[in-house]
Amino acid sequence: MADHTEEKEMTKEELSEILKVRREKLAKLQEEGNDPFEITKYPVDTHSNEIRDNYEEMEGKTVCMAGRLMAKRVMGKASFANIQDRNGRMQLYVSKTDVGEEAYAAFKKYDIGDIIGIKGFVFTTKMGEISVHVKEICLLTKSLQVLPEKFHGLKDQELRYRQRYVDLIVNPEVKDTFLKRSAIIREIRNFLDARGYLEVETPVLSNIASGANARPFITHHNALDIDMYLRIALELPLKRLIVGGFERVYEIGRVFRNEGIDIRHNPEFTLIELYEAYTDYEGMMNLTEDMFRTVAQKVLGTTKLTYGGYDLDLGKPFERITMVDAVKKFTGVDFDAIKDTQEARAVAQEHHVEFEQRHAKGDILNLFFEEFVEKNLIEPTFVIDYPVEISPLTKRKPSKPEYTERFELFIVGREYGNAYSELNDPIDQRKRFEHQEAMRQAGDDEAYALDEDFMTALEYGMPPTGGLGIGVDRLVMLLTGQPSIRDVILFPTMRNLEK
């Protein structure tokens, strides 16, 4: 079904004329005392899915619905139309005999995109389509724009992100992605709440940017006359709460990193961090695997999915491999056999891995991992035991103190989670922060800043603790099959349009 008056592509001039006509229609309605914008409410009692899912009970029942007019076919004294509400579309049968001559004449002037209200009874047409036989109809909102696919199709990806409201109207699968996103976050909460975790909120504005290797956004507080930072992580405030006696805490919230934009990165994104006293990174691995499996089963009804062209099963045990062994597996280079930074730099040069003067052996191991390993980790894999140089908030491994009890989870070449046995030794922590400060002075503007209040908290004593951070947007991408982070953020950050 289509409104044939607007079906073909239009020139800019034709579009301009149609927009003019719509405004003229509104002005005439207002002159006649029928301004739709004066209507404040409508007694909706039924949605489209309720009718389809319960047709036997709904047949013949009078319903009151509202939605956006998406199609209209006028046929003399009777017409068919489609409206779209929050749960889908419903066909309408509208006749002059039922709604009256005046209301039918008004209906014929409605435009695609208008929001209307109807009352009528549920029936099935001769063609077998579930519909509503309209008895009353009214205009609730006049649309002054033309839906994009009516004149050029919604082909422009940039337009879809900039005008998400239009994207949601014309692409039902987009709406489904965000319904699943909401369900994913809800199931994460259910999972953690059932395990005794307490959800908390911590400040978005901070006097110091720390807790992650990232450039912050800087703002200014006028009353205090101080620069402040939008948080780049949730870690340090949550660990203060562990010090304070909350043994299991989590937060799901926005964090902000002043970095580039690509299919995996948006400057503003959603992160979940959780901390549990008296456990370690092994406990966090078990919890992460269980969480991914449980959320997938709850939201998708299965642990099996396809992403990036690969078939995955989150129900299978996740692989575990050390960073050293992973690099050795894909390059043949054994960093355990490399004695020092000088030797590591020589090996990097042999393999054409670029490094900076400030990089030590552990940094170069990580560069090898990023260059040669990440892209090959297809099945869910925990990469464990990261070098201490790139893990300033993590406990050292007692058996190999140059490495830490840390893991990251990789699936189809992308990182989904980062976790530690949290460093709770304040003396060691200060040394790590001081090393980070030296890195900052050497030009690394993503190095951690020293947080003196956090240091004080550690000196009061933090119990052995496991911590985990998961990028919620990437998890949503995985479970909805979306290739870009922009496809799972309702309003992604966009460049300014050229004037």
Side-chain angles (χ1 to χ4, degrees):
M1 185 187 300
D3 184 342
H4 297 290
T5 63
E6 295 181 359
E7 189 176 47
K8 66 182 182 66
E9 291 189 7
M10 290 178 280
T11 65
K12 289 184 179 180
E13 291 76 16
E14 289 172 328
L15 174 60
S16 178
E17 180 61 27
I18 287 177
L19 297 180
K20 178 183 176 183
V21 169
R22 290 196 176 203
R23 281 160 175 76
E24 290 173 349
K25 287 182 180 181
L26 174 62
K28 185 171 179 56
L29 288 169
Q30 292 170 331
E31 289 173 6
E32 296 171 347
N34 296 318
D35 187 351
F37 297 121
E38 291 183 353
I39 298 173
T40 59
K41 61 181 179 180
Y42 194 75
V44 174
D45 60 21
T46 307
H47 290 90
S48 56
N49 66 314
E50 298 170 34
I51 295 174
R52 282 190 297 272
D53 295 344
N54 305 283
Y55 179 72
E56 291 185 2
E57 293 81 8
M58 298 296 292
E59 184 180 13
K61 181 179 178 181
T62 297
V63 296
C64 183
M65 302 178 67
R68 190 177 298 274
L69 185 63
M70 298 300 292
K72 183 177 68 170
R73 187 171 72 244
V74 177
M75 302 178 297
K77 296 182 179 180
S79 303
F80 284 96
N82 273 353
I83 62 168
Q84 179 171 291
D85 62 17
R86 71 183 185 191
N87 294 322
R89 295 190 182 187
M90 178 57 58
Q91 179 170 275
L92 309 178
Y93 172 75
V94 186
S95 74
K96 181 189 295 187
T97 302
D98 292 302
V99 301
E101 186 172 346
E102 183 177 343
Y104 190 71
F107 162 75
K108 290 169 66 175
K109 296 179 181 178
Y110 292 171
D111 292 307
I112 302 302
D114 288 349
I115 296 175
I116 65 174
I118 64 99
K119 292 182 182 179
F121 63 87
V122 177
F123 80 112
T124 302
T125 66
K126 292 180 180 179
M127 300 298 293
E129 184 166 353
I130 296 173
S131 307
V132 175
H133 189 126
V134 177
K135 291 293 187 178
E136 298 178 21
I137 189 168
C138 68
L139 181 64
L140 301 177
T141 300
K142 183 65 188 170
S143 174
L144 302 181
Q145 289 284 343
V146 179
L147 293 179
E149 83 273 21
K150 293 300 180 183
F151 60 92
H152 60 56
L154 203 62
K155 302 172 184 176
D156 186 339
Q157 198 76 10
E158 291 283 314
L159 179 63
R160 288 185 54 211
Y161 298 143
R162 290 183 189 280
Q163 297 184 352
R164 180 69 81 187
Y165 42 90
V166 180
D167 194 23
L168 291 167
I169 292 170
V170 301
N171 292 320
E173 68 277 7
V174 173
K175 190 172 185 179
D176 183 61
T177 293
F178 289 101
L179 291 174
K180 284 181 179 173
R181 178 189 175 103
S182 180
I184 289 165
I185 293 174
R186 181 170 60 251
E187 292 304 334
I188 290 173
R189 283 193 167 98
N190 290 342
F191 177 88
L192 293 173
D193 292 346
R195 285 157 179 77
Y197 281 82
L198 176 71
E199 184 174 11
V200 298
E201 295 177 303
T202 62
V204 173
L205 288 174
S206 175
N207 292 332
I208 189 168
S210 197
N213 293 104
R215 298 182 184 92
F217 285 94
I218 305 173
T219 186
H220 189 78
H221 193 294
N222 292 332
L224 297 177
D225 193 25
I226 59 171
D227 284 343
M228 301 191 77
Y229 303 89
L230 296 180
R231 64 186 179 188
I232 58 175
L234 311 174
E235 181 164 352
L236 300 189
L238 292 177
K239 284 158 80 168
R240 286 176 172 92
L241 297 180
I242 295 291
V243 171
F246 289 117
E247 294 184 1
R248 298 185 181 190
V249 294
Y250 75 94
E251 181 173 6
I252 301 175
R254 289 290 205 185
V255 296
F256 309 85
R257 298 182 182 179
N258 198 350
E259 300 169 347
I261 298 174
D262 59 32
I263 62 171
R264 290 185 290 177
H265 297 91
N266 192 70
E268 176 184 1
F269 63 98
T270 302
L271 182 66
I272 176 172
E273 289 197 31
L274 61 92
Y275 295 85
E276 179 178 340
Y278 310 114
T279 190
D280 62 3
Y281 78 141
E282 292 278 355
M284 290 295 102
M285 266 185 273
N286 296 334
L287 182 139
T288 302
E289 189 169 340
D290 194 10
M291 180 191 295
F292 272 60
R293 186 172 297 133
T294 300
V295 171
Q297 184 66 50
K298 293 284 188 179
V299 175
L300 306 180
T302 179
T303 59
K304 296 180 179 180
L305 55 98
T306 300
Y307 192 74
Y310 296 96
D311 293 328
L312 306 169
D313 187 355
L314 300 179
K316 295 180 179 179
F318 293 7
E319 184 181 349
R320 303 183 183 192
I321 187 171
T322 67
M323 181 180 279
V324 169
D325 287 344
V327 169
K328 184 177 180 180
K329 177 179 178 180
F330 290 101
T331 69
V333 177
D334 184 359
F335 269 78
D336 276 347
I338 294 175
K339 299 176 182 178
D340 52 29
T341 296
Q342 184 175 352
E343 188 174 336
R345 290 174 177 173
V347 173
Q349 290 173 339
E350 290 173 9
H351 287 77
H352 307 290
V353 174
E354 295 183 3
F355 60 89
E356 298 178 23
Q357 190 62 34
R358 59 187 172 85
H359 286 147
K361 174 186 169 182
D363 298 297
I364 295 172
L365 167 61
N366 186 55
L367 292 173
F368 266 76
F369 176 78
E370 293 175 344
E371 178 71 22
F372 300 111
V373 180
E374 282 190 17
K375 60 189 175 185
N376 295 305
L377 301 177
I378 304 303
E379 294 295 329
T381 303
F382 291 118
V383 178
I384 65 175
D385 300 353
Y386 278 52
V388 70
E389 290 90 341
I390 62 168
S391 309
L393 297 170
T394 313
K395 276 194 172 182
R396 297 175 188 265
K397 283 185 70 70
S399 60
K400 298 179 71 174
E402 67 271 32
Y403 298 100
T404 63
E405 294 190 345
R406 173 186 174 187
F407 74 78
E408 288 185 317
L409 172 62
F410 289 87
I411 305 173
V412 191
R414 293 182 177 179
E415 182 248 315
Y416 285 85
N418 185 20
Y420 317 145
S421 296
E422 300 296 335
L423 180 60
N424 62 343
D425 178 347
I427 297 173
D428 190 1
Q429 181 65 85
R430 182 172 291 279
K431 291 178 181 178
R432 307 269 196 100
F433 274 140
E434 288 172 348
H435 172 73
Q436 289 287 306
E437 184 60 33
M439 298 284 281
R440 287 169 66 87
Q441 296 299 322
D444 184 356
D445 56 2
E446 294 186 358
Y448 284 60
L450 174 58
D451 186 331
E452 286 290 356
D453 183 74
F454 177 67
M455 292 306 308
T456 299
L458 281 190
E459 289 173 359
Y460 276 97
M462 185 175 80
T465 298
L468 167 67
I470 294 173
V472 172
D473 307 295
R474 291 188 184 181
L475 176 57
V476 175
M477 290 167 62
L478 177 70
L479 297 184
T480 60
Q482 298 301 323
S484 171
I485 193 171
R486 292 185 179 188
D487 294 319
V488 299
I489 296 177
L490 279 168
F491 302 104
T493 303
M494 305 293 292
R495 293 177 176 84
N496 288 336
L497 290 171
E498 294 182 3
K499 295 183 179 180

